[in-house]
Amino acid sequence: MRSDSRLSRMLHALIHMDRLAGAATSEVLADMLSTNAVVVRRTMAGLRDQGLVRSEKGHGGGWALARPLDQISLLDIYQALGEPQLFAIGPSTDNPTCLVEQAVNAELGAALATVRGQLLDHFAKVSLGDLARQFDEKLKQGGHLPPHLQGMQRLDGL
Amino acid sequence: MRSDSRLSRMLHALIHMDRLAGAATSEVLADMLSTNAVVVRRTMAGLRDQGLVRSEKGHGGGWALARPLDQISLLDIYQALGEPQLFAIGPSTDNPTCLVEQAVNAELGAALATVRGQLLDHFAKVSLGDLARQFDEKLKQGGHLPPHLQGMQRLDGL
DNA sequence: TATCATGTAACTTATGAAGATTCATGAAAG
DNA sequence: CTTTCATGAATCTTCATAAGTTACATGATA
């Protein structure tokens, strides 16, 4: 099973959007993410519904942040995406009659629930602003600009 | 993405095997797990290669534990299965040139690596014997026997 | 009114576990 | 020695879902 990259992609996209002067079209974001504009709209729709980003049609339209990066946590994004399945492993039957299987499901389910809680707690504590600052660090330490940032305005932090 | 149930199924199967008098054929195990005998052989192959179970051909053949349940941890099984992918989420690109994406991958990767470590630590501490005892508890507390255990010998713990 | 951009439906592709079929191999029973 | 039973393994199909694609409607701006 190929892994779900929606969370990763939205983090990537939103940080870029913060760096851009105006609204970013789905097409531009799709290029940044090496994907398709429809995939961008589809994925971004959840964030819009949760008030994290805004979209505008027509000339000069596109996507823009609805709040500062520091006021958006990784958990906000994860939840806006509909809390996609975290684990690739799971029980074979959800409500087994076999007591052995019930014991297995209980143990495994509890273990997964615990680490899920830990991960989401962490997501709640990390903001997109934190990630953006980590990017700025990388840049200072001799990183080169990616193609889609070269010759761009409002590259704050440089 | 449908989740990978191999770990769950192997835990289930091995506890049953401990309860059975002789060797269990792939067919019998497949019935217990509501699956196919070939799936059982395919999944069990890794456990055999790691010396957790033994298989015998011919009359009276089948699968048997190679060690006591208390000497098999959940981590042993997970590793014998080839350490299947734990998470359903992940990066969209493995080695991105974009520094923003690198920062996102670093943060997300570190968070996932941390909880993975916590989960595997837990798996190392839980043995199949522990799970079997939890099953025995359920049984004492008014549980009924699953169809494939009714009328069976060597139901230790009853 | 022409252009640009989102919104959305519908379809195809890619991936990997799971399921199923088939035959070879080897062990035990008769 | 032959039959039966079981694993071993190759090969194919099925299934679920994110991702990718195509097409068109809707609305905003120049």
Side-chain angles (χ1 to χ4, degrees):
Chain A
M1 162 199 315
R2 168 187 282 179
S3 59
D4 179 344
S5 59
R6 285 176 293 178
L7 176 60
S8 162
R9 279 180 159 167
M10 288 301 97
L11 304 183
H12 184 186
L14 265 61
I15 293 173
H16 278 307
M17 284 161 59
D18 179 62
R19 260 42 192 196
L20 292 173
T25 67
S26 304
E27 208 68 54
V28 166
L29 291 173
D31 284 347
M32 288 174 173
L33 305 181
S34 304
T35 180
N36 186 288
V38 174
V39 173
V40 171
R41 290 190 201 112
R42 188 193 287 157
T43 313
M44 209 74 103
L47 310 203
R48 181 195 55 220
D49 295 346
Q50 292 304 309
L52 301 177
V53 300
R54 270 189 287 265
S55 62
E56 298 289 346
K57 289 182 174 178
H59 279 274
W63 301 87
L65 292 174
R67 316 183 199 159
L69 285 190
D70 278 321
Q71 290 173 32
I72 303 178
S73 70
L74 303 202
L75 182 61
D76 290 330
I77 310 279
Y78 177 70
Q79 290 176 332
L81 289 172
E83 304 202 0
Q85 188 176 5
L86 268 186
F87 298 104
I89 66 174
S92 103
T93 310
D94 275 323
N95 292 306
T97 59
C98 171
L99 288 185
V100 173
E101 194 171 0
Q102 283 178 19
V104 169
N105 280 4
E107 166 60 37
L108 235 41
L112 294 181
T114 297
V115 300
R116 176 187 150 94
Q118 290 167 338
L119 186 62
L120 296 194
D121 281 352
H122 177 74
F123 281 174
K125 287 180 197 141
V126 179
S127 76
L128 283 176
D130 296 329
L131 285 190
R133 281 182 284 277
Q134 286 177 28
F135 158 72
D136 290 334
E137 275 309 306
K138 277 183 183 275
L139 210 46
K140 271 188 210 147
Q141 290 163 13
H144 51 73
L145 276 176
H148 51 274
L149 280 189
Q150 284 165 17
M152 205 148 261
Q153 279 77 38
R154 282 210 58 233
L155 263 177
D156 326 36
L158 271 184
Chain B
M1 161 202 310
R2 169 186 280 179
S3 59
D4 179 344
S5 60
R6 285 175 294 176
L7 176 61
S8 163
R9 278 181 159 165
M10 288 301 98
L11 303 183
H12 184 187
L14 265 62
I15 294 173
H16 278 307
M17 283 161 59
D18 179 62
R19 257 50 188 193
L20 292 173
T25 67
S26 304
E27 207 69 55
V28 165
L29 291 174
D31 285 347
M32 289 173 172
L33 304 182
S34 303
T35 181
N36 186 289
V38 174
V39 172
V40 171
R41 290 192 200 110
R42 188 193 287 157
T43 312
M44 209 75 103
L47 310 204
R48 181 197 54 221
D49 295 345
Q50 293 305 308
L52 302 176
V53 300
R54 270 189 287 264
S55 62
E56 298 289 345
K57 289 182 174 180
H59 280 272
W63 301 87
L65 292 174
R67 318 183 199 159
L69 285 191
D70 279 321
Q71 289 173 32
I72 303 179
S73 70
L74 303 201
L75 182 61
D76 290 330
I77 309 279
Y78 177 70
Q79 289 176 332
L81 289 171
E83 306 202 358
Q85 188 175 6
L86 267 186
F87 297 104
I89 67 175
S92 102
T93 311
D94 276 322
N95 292 308
T97 57
C98 172
L99 288 186
V100 173
E101 193 171 0
Q102 283 179 18
V104 169
N105 280 6
E107 166 61 38
L108 235 41
L112 294 181
T114 298
V115 300
R116 176 187 150 94
Q118 290 167 338
L119 187 62
L120 296 194
D121 281 352
H122 178 72
F123 281 175
K125 287 179 198 143
V126 179
S127 75
L128 282 176
D130 296 329
L131 285 189
R133 283 182 283 277
Q134 287 177 28
F135 159 73
D136 290 333
E137 275 308 307
K138 277 183 183 277
L139 209 48
K140 273 188 207 145
Q141 291 163 14
H144 51 72
L145 277 177
H148 50 272
L149 280 190
Q150 285 166 18
M152 205 148 261
Q153 279 77 38
R154 281 210 59 234
L155 264 178
D156 325 34
L158 270 185

